[in-house]
Structure formats: structure tokens, C-alpha cells
Amino acid sequence: MIPLSGDIDNAKGIVKENLGSFETKRGTSTLKRGFAHMLKNGVVMDVTTVEQAQIAEDAGAVAVMVLDKLPADVRKAGGVARTASIRIIEEIMDSTTIPVMAKCRIGHVYEAKVLDATDVDMIDESEVLTPADEFHHIWKWDFTTPFVNGARNLGEALRRIEEGVAMIRTKGEPGTGNVAEAVIHIKNVNTELRRLKSIYDAGDDQDLVSLARELKVSYSLVEETASLGRLPVVNFAAGGISTPADAAYLMTLGCDGIFVGSGIFKSDDAKERAQAVVLATTFWEDPGKVKEAQKMVDERQSMLGLDTKNLELRMQERGSTA
Amino acid sequence: MKGVNIGILAVQGDVAENISATRMAMDDLGIEGVVTEVKNPEQISDLDGLIIPGGESIVIGTLSLVNGSLKKIKEKIASGMPVLGTCAGMILLSKKVKDRVVGETEQPLLDYLDIKIERNTFGRQKNSFEADISLEKIGIPSFRGVFIRAPSVVDAGKNVEILSKIDEKIVAVKQGNIIGTSFHPELTEDLSIHKYFVNLVQKKN
């Protein structure tokens, strides 16, 4: 059984139809959130070509995320970053057996509709691309395809869940090869969840109402989340993960799994690194095995990375007030 | 009498949901024992029953091969240990696998259930669905099937008992003490399938 907190049962994304003599429903929260549960303890890898997708699948990725450019290259190129070429997404879908995800711009309802019509397995409404609407995210209940969104704190996460997202990931600071921001974001969410739970356990309804106002989400979702003591959807780490030890560290902070963006295919040992990050994510509780994974990569081949203090572009701030 | 020790293969996938469903099933039945996450061969040797959860079958298979768990599970199956495989778990238990789009896949398998699997048989995630199905043969007349990028059984040997079909596609099978389902009983509130499995482990014990 999985938590269905905040679920609405008359969502437009739910499709009723018959399969032979069986009545079926598609696009329910059980199916959308359930899909995300199947990815737990796994690694989702950013890819831009069929060849990279093949390397990811062979290395043991649980899914691939198709982009036009890796986040580090988006940062370098500047300009407007949009959803990837549909032809490349389809080529990757036709050649891999694992799920294929793709990114759309924040608030860009029609890029999302195009990806939904392409039948990608999950849509990432992502701050890595240039936002189309700084003030509204997509109303994800309207879609049959599940979504993932980034969040830096509990408020952002719950607001996205209220919009119908099936999975949350930390934003981190994409394309930097620097895990520091992802660490802050996951700790923020954990600290705020502990605070929420302590208010709930103390039975202080007045404080719980104040907290709902502060987080800008409905009281009922805050209350249900408090009773669970965790987010009602799976929560992955993303943004700046470059080494097996980075992945294992984020797993110790209570993440359900890992997204690796530029860290693998901007390194010079992508194949070994992809395998090593998967091993470290699976066996994160065993420092000996993580050491073996870390030994598979060469630090001189890691992407150089950036200090997150002096960045011109802070992708994580995109769409964060909405 | 010692209680049963049921393990959930905790390499990747929806492990936590299977742990809670199995615990609740044991509590409801009043069967004593423990439910443990298992990742390595030593932990698997102590088990009376094993559940292989949903997830990505290639990932679970490859990583279980790397640390020797796959071999240990094979030995335990040969000695009669009951196993329940849901979705990816059923794929791993099978002898042969192809993907609906990509074709034959080379992936590590437990090579026990005499079935051929078609992965992603109903299509991609958008075509994932819920429907009421029936497993009359094991005393479960109605069950909410949650099918997520689900596989189906396209060929079954004569030792394989077919437990359920949807639209002519085989979605649950049993061979000896090994059960495979295309769908995810751990994602619903209905504990019938987990209870059936726990009973099977208890009897065998």
C-alpha cells in the first residue's frame, strides 16, 4: 500500500476504458506514484543520445532522462533551453527497455502535452530548462503521464504534490558537479518534516494551521503528511552528483534514489562511472562496497565542477516562489 | 515452534511496501515470525520464504548476480523455499524474456518458472492500469490488479498452473511453491495474496 495523501479522484488525467471484458482505469495516483516507487534505490541518468542511453541501461540505470543538452552544457550555452527533440526521444524509447523520461519547461503546458503524446514514461517539469511561466507550474492532475518536480524545501515539495506530481527530487544546483546544494535541500526537507511531525504529535492544531499558511498549501495535505512523517511521494536526490561517494552520501540522508545529470557523461570515464554510481547507490550502507565503487572511477576524470557561491545563473531559484 | 523468516529482496524497487504488506498479513493470520530486508547471500540462506519486489528486472538481476545472491536464491528454490515474485520479480523467476519493442533481452534470470515473459506487454507507463481480476484457484475471487508497465506470460509449460488472465493475457502463475504476478499486490490495501504466500511459507516450515 502506498500513501495517496492529497489525491483527487475526479482528475482529468484519469481514463476509464475497457480491456476486453475488464473495466480499467489509467492515470490514477496509485499508478503514477506506484511507478515512482518502482524506481526506488535506483539511479536515473541524464542522456542526450541513443549511445548514452545504452551505456546507462547496461550500467544498471532504472530509467533515463532525455535532454537536448546536459545541464553543464545548458549552463555554458546560455540562451533558452527547451524540451529535447522528439525524434531523439523516440529513438531512445525504441532502443531501451527501461523507462524513458524527458524534461519540459516549468509551466509550459504544451511541451508537456507533446511529451504526453509521445508516451514518455514520466515528465520532468524542470528548472534546468528556461521557465515558460515563473508563477504557475503545470496542473499535473490533467495528465495521464506521471510527473516529477524539483523542490528545495518542504513548502515547494507539498505545493507540487498539490498540483498532482507523483515524485519529488531535490533541485540541487544542476550542471555544477557540486553536490553541496542538493545536500542542503534534502536536509531542509528532513528538518521541516521533523518540525511538522512534532507539532502534529503534540496535537497543536493551531500551529499546524499556521504552518499550512507558511508553506502555502492546504491544511489537509499538511495534516496527512504530518501523520506519515515523510513526503507522501518518493523523494530522490538530484543536482551536482558526480561520484559514487556523492550518491552514497545522499542515500544516507534518507533519499529514495538518485538522479545523475552531467556527472556521468561530462566525465571522461562515463561507462565505469555509470556502473560505479549504481553500485554505490545499491550498497550505500556498506562503506567497503562503496569504496570498491569509488575505486572504479578516477578523480582526474571527474567533471571539473563549479563553486555554487558565484554562479551567474542559479537554476534552483526558478519557479521556487510559485 | 520457531516463527517464519520471510525476506524481501532489497536490491532495488518497492521493498518497503512488501515489508509492510507481509507484516500486516502475518499479524492478521496470527503467524509468528520476522520480515527482513535481504541483500546478500548470507541473509538469504537463513530464509523460509522470499519476496522479489517490483522494480527494474535488469537492475535487480544484474546486481544480485554481482554479489552472489542470485546463485543462493537458486539453491534455496531447489531446496523448496517458497518465493513470490511481483512484476520484475516474476520476470526474474522465469526462464525466457523478450521485450515488446526491443525484442529478446539478455538479462540474468533465476531460470525456474517454465514460462516465457513479454516485458512491457501492455505498453508504456501511460498504458499502466488498474482492474479487478480473479485468482479463483487460490481462493481469491476478486483482487484489484495494479499493472505498472507490466509484463505478461506468453508461453507456459505444462507444470505451470495459470492463476489469472486479463483479456486472454496470463498475469499470474504458480509452479510448485513459486508464484509470479504481473501486477503489484503490495500497492493495494488487499492483503489476500500476501496472506496466501505467508500461509504457504508457514506450511512448508
Side-chain angles (χ1 to χ4, degrees):
Chain A
M1 205 185 135
I2 55 171
L4 294 175
S5 314
D7 183 36
I8 57 174
D9 54 11
N10 59 349
K12 280 189 194 156
I14 297 175
V15 181
K16 291 179 187 172
E17 63 188 11
N18 285 349
L19 184 64
S21 58
F22 293 81
E23 284 176 19
T24 71
K25 263 190 194 176
R26 297 192 281 121
T28 64
S29 286
T30 301
L31 294 164
K32 289 174 166 180
R33 294 183 191 184
F35 168 74
H37 278 252
M38 298 311 146
L39 307 173
K40 281 196 296 186
N41 232 42
V43 182
V44 182
M45 295 183 193
D46 278 3
V47 300
T48 58
T49 62
V50 172
E51 292 71 32
Q52 288 180 353
Q54 204 53 59
I55 291 173
E57 180 169 20
D58 292 344
V62 286
V64 292
M65 172 78 71
V66 187
L67 294 90
D68 175 50
K69 294 184 196 71
L70 292 172
D73 294 325
V74 169
R75 195 173 279 288
K76 216 179 284 169
V80 177
R82 310 178 184 89
T83 201
S85 306
I86 299 301
R87 204 175 297 168
I88 292 180
I89 296 173
E90 285 183 341
E91 272 174 32
I92 292 175
M93 284 168 57
D94 287 342
S95 62
T96 51
T97 68
I98 56 176
V100 176
M101 308 181 180
K103 287 183 192 285
C104 74
R105 284 179 264 180
I106 290 174
H108 203 313
V109 176
Y110 232 97
E111 268 187 359
K113 284 190 182 180
V114 167
L115 292 176
D116 178 67
T118 307
D119 281 354
V120 298
D121 295 291
M122 186 172 241
I123 300 170
D124 185 4
E125 186 186 20
S126 173
E127 66 283 0
V128 168
L129 308 185
T130 313
D133 185 340
E134 277 284 356
F135 305 103
H136 298 92
H137 281 71
I138 295 167
W139 189 249
K140 291 160 277 273
W141 296 110
D142 288 351
F143 288 78
T144 309
T145 304
F147 278 72
V148 53
N149 269 124
R152 302 189 299 169
N153 51 50
L154 183 61
E156 278 187 56
L158 292 179
R159 292 198 293 278
R160 301 293 85 80
I161 292 168
E162 214 162 50
E163 294 156 0
V165 84
M167 178 178 188
I168 290 288
R169 55 171 176 73
T170 61
K171 284 180 166 174
E173 190 52 49
T176 59
N178 188 338
V179 83
E181 299 291 310
V183 170
I184 292 171
H185 298 166
I186 196 71
K187 286 188 173 174
N188 278 348
V189 172
N190 289 343
T191 306
E192 289 171 302
L193 278 168
R194 275 200 294 273
R195 176 175 160 223
L196 176 60
K197 189 157 190 316
S198 70
I199 294 172
Y200 178 81
D201 289 344
D204 191 336
D205 290 344
Q206 192 174 12
D207 253 12
L208 212 53
V209 170
S210 312
L211 192 57
R213 287 188 190 132
E214 190 188 308
L215 299 173
K216 296 189 275 182
V217 279
S218 71
Y219 174 78
S220 62
L221 181 57
V222 167
E223 193 196 18
E224 285 182 70
T225 305
S227 73
L228 289 170
R230 60 152 296 149
L231 288 181
V233 301
V234 300
N235 188 15
F236 272 45
I241 295 160
S242 308
T243 68
D246 283 350
Y249 176 36
L250 282 154
M251 291 302 286
T252 65
L253 298 179
C255 297
D256 293 312
I258 302 290
F259 282 85
V260 192
S262 314
I264 289 173
F265 291 105
K266 290 308 279 183
S267 73
D268 295 323
D269 53 1
K271 216 169 173 175
E272 296 76 13
R273 193 168 293 251
Q275 286 172 356
V277 170
V278 170
L279 285 172
T281 304
T282 307
F283 299 110
W284 62 270
E285 288 152 304
D286 181 345
K289 288 210 169 90
V290 176
K291 178 229 154 188
E292 287 304 315
Q294 186 77 7
K295 205 173 160 184
M296 290 165 69
V297 304
D298 180 351
E299 181 50 22
R300 285 166 296 189
Q301 317 278 319
S302 294
M303 69 180 282
L304 182 58
L306 296 166
D307 184 350
T308 53
K309 295 285 176 301
N310 309 310
L311 295 173
E312 267 177 44
L313 171 60
R314 282 173 67 81
M315 292 176 175
Q316 58 176 286
E317 279 158 16
R318 290 167 158 175
S320 58
T321 53
Chain B
M1 197 190 89
K2 81 172 178 88
V4 294
N5 181 2
I6 297 182
I8 316 294
L9 188 62
V11 173
Q12 190 272 315
D14 68 338
V15 176
E17 296 72 18
N18 272 296
I19 291 176
S20 62
T22 310
R23 278 211 181 114
M24 284 194 277
M26 282 164 65
D27 288 348
D28 272 16
L29 294 167
I31 290 177
E32 295 205 0
V34 291
V35 185
T36 45
E37 282 189 26
V38 295
K39 241 179 206 183
N40 58 53
E42 299 77 55
Q43 294 166 320
I44 294 164
S45 5
D46 295 336
L47 297 178
D48 303 311
L50 174 73
I51 297 180
I52 307 178
E56 274 307 311
S57 61
I58 300 186
V59 179
I60 301 175
T62 309
L63 291 163
S64 305
L65 181 70
V66 170
N67 77 350
S69 293
L70 213 59
K71 190 166 160 253
K72 180 52 78 180
I73 299 171
K74 275 187 192 174
E75 286 170 23
K76 293 287 284 183
I77 289 176
S79 72
M81 176 183 72
V83 182
L84 168 65
T86 69
C87 195
M90 175 169 80
I91 297 174
L92 277 171
L93 286 164
S94 74
K95 280 185 180 292
K96 224 169 173 202
V97 179
K98 66 166 182 168
D99 180 84
R100 189 178 61 99
V101 176
V102 178
E104 304 286 331
T105 59
E106 276 185 35
Q107 59 185 99
L109 300 172
L110 287 162
D111 201 29
Y112 180 84
L113 283 176
D114 188 15
I115 55 176
K116 183 171 185 187
I117 294 277
E118 182 176 73
R119 283 177 64 195
N120 304 319
T121 201
F122 300 97
R124 307 192 73 93
Q125 170 58 19
K126 210 164 108 187
N127 292 310
S128 294
F129 64 94
E130 298 179 30
D132 290 326
I133 55 167
S134 162
L135 299 92
E136 294 273 9
K137 277 188 193 157
I138 56 169
I140 303 171
S142 177
F143 195 87
R144 190 69 175 165
V146 176
F147 296 82
I148 296 178
R149 283 173 50 96
S152 75
V153 175
V154 286
D155 237 332
K158 56 179 183 304
N159 299 330
V160 179
E161 210 179 334
I162 292 161
L163 301 181
S164 187
K165 279 187 181 182
I166 184 162
D167 191 30
E168 298 308 308
K169 286 192 158 90
I170 301 169
V171 293
V173 293
K174 181 168 184 281
Q175 181 180 341
N177 287 324
I178 311 296
I179 304 164
T181 68
S182 299
F183 50 93
H184 294 277
E186 71 278 11
L187 295 186
T188 58
E189 285 178 52
D190 190 339
L191 297 171
S192 321
I193 290 178
H194 281 81
K195 279 185 185 170
Y196 177 81
F197 180 69
V198 169
N199 265 326
L200 199 66
V201 176
Q202 162 88 340
K203 262 185 238 158
K204 178 75 193 150
N205 201 35

